[in-house]
């Protein structure tokens, strides 16, 4: 969770956390501003000050998710071994974090909300476009980088929609194969 100040969360962060919990529990379609205010422990006026509409709240939730994945990628950068397809390795590792806990639930809820309002996914579209351009500019082996990225995105998509036919062991096997591909490239 992103925090502000000296370990204290701002009312904005409390509201976003409450909204994320509610989206996980009831879905974005049934989310109401009244329920979010109550769960966050703020007045409706306080919520409206930060997020004047439900759409503004949902947009902020999507942006926070995008920011969390970006922050995760940068945190991984500090620990990453230099070498082949570094940016693709960082990208896929950060994407794999989406399958864990709250991030998965919020991402799934936001995807459902985007069915009613496709504009909510505009920040995600921008990230995808930027990721592609970054991979094109930085990859030692573009084919391996693109295949690895697409494989992890596909795996995440299966899991977010509860469509994955893979066991945990098979999931890990796929991730290891992608990591090998990104480290060693495609043999020609």
């Amino acid at each position: 969770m992103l925090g502000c100040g000296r370990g204290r969360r701002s009312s904005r962060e409390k509201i976003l956390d409450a909204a994320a919990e509610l989206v996980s529990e009831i879905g974005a379609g049934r989310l109401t501003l009244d329920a979010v205010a109550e769960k966050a422990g703020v007045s409706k006026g306080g919520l409206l000050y930060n997020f004047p509409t439900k759409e503004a709240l949902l947009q902020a939730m999507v942006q926070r998710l995008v920011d969390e994945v970006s922050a995760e990628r940068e945190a991984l950068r500090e620990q990453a071994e230099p070498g082949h397809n570094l940016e693709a390795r960082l990208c896929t590792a950060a994407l794999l974090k989406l399958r864990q806990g709250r991030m998965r639930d919020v991402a799934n809820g936001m995807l459902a909300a985007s069915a009613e309002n496709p504009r909510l996914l505009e920040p995600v579209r921008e990230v995808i476009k930027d990721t592609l351009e970054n991979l094109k500019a930085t990859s030692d082996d573009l084919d391996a980088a693109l295949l690895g990225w697409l494989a992890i995105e596909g795996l995440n998509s299966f899991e977010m929609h509860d469509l994955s036919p893979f066991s945990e062991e098979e999931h890990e096997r796929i991730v290891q194969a992608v990591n090998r591909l990104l480290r060693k490239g495609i043999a020609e």
Side-chain angles (χ1 to χ4, degrees):
M1 174 182 44
L2 302 175
C4 294
R6 298 179 192 147
R8 291 178 32 135
R9 295 179 304 152
S10 69
S11 61
R12 181 178 175 82
E13 290 300 315
K14 287 179 188 176
I15 293 166
L16 288 170
D17 289 343
E21 285 181 44
L22 286 168
V23 164
S24 298
E25 294 168 13
I26 63 172
R30 297 190 341 196
L31 185 74
T32 67
L33 295 179
D34 288 326
V36 173
E38 183 178 328
K39 185 143 190 109
V42 300
S43 69
K44 177 105 180 250
L47 183 140
L48 292 173
Y49 175 80
N50 286 285
F51 305 103
T53 64
K54 179 178 171 181
E55 182 174 325
L57 175 60
L58 292 172
Q59 286 173 335
M61 291 174 69
V62 169
Q63 187 60 54
R64 182 164 89 159
L65 187 61
V66 166
D67 293 345
E68 285 177 353
V69 172
S70 179
E72 181 64 35
R73 186 182 64 238
E74 292 311 309
L76 290 167
R77 182 181 306 282
E78 294 175 12
Q79 308 162 10
E81 297 175 24
H84 208 54
N85 290 321
L86 175 62
E87 293 302 317
R89 288 187 286 125
L90 293 171
C91 175
T92 57
L95 287 171
L96 285 167
K97 293 291 186 172
L98 277 179
R99 91 185 278 262
Q100 298 174 349
R102 185 179 66 83
M103 285 183 81
R104 177 181 180 232
D105 293 339
V106 172
N108 205 8
M110 293 297 93
L111 188 61
S114 72
E116 292 177 27
N117 183 353
R119 289 189 328 253
L120 287 175
L121 291 181
E122 197 53 43
V124 177
R125 285 185 190 92
E126 284 300 313
V127 168
I128 290 169
K129 187 176 118 188
D130 292 346
T131 298
L132 176 59
E133 293 306 314
N134 186 34
L135 292 178
K136 286 179 179 179
T138 63
S139 297
D140 307 291
D141 182 341
L142 184 57
D143 291 341
L146 293 176
L147 286 173
W149 178 46
L150 289 170
I152 297 304
E153 286 283 12
L155 197 58
N156 278 354
S157 181
F158 274 172
E159 290 179 357
M160 279 189 204
H161 293 91
D162 291 324
L163 296 173
S164 181
F166 303 114
S167 67
E168 193 61 33
E169 183 178 285
E170 291 167 326
H171 175 274
E172 189 56 33
R173 184 176 179 189
I174 293 166
V175 169
Q176 293 305 319
V178 167
N179 287 335
R180 279 192 310 277
L181 173 68
L182 293 175
R183 288 186 189 287
K184 296 180 180 182
I186 296 176
E188 299 201 27

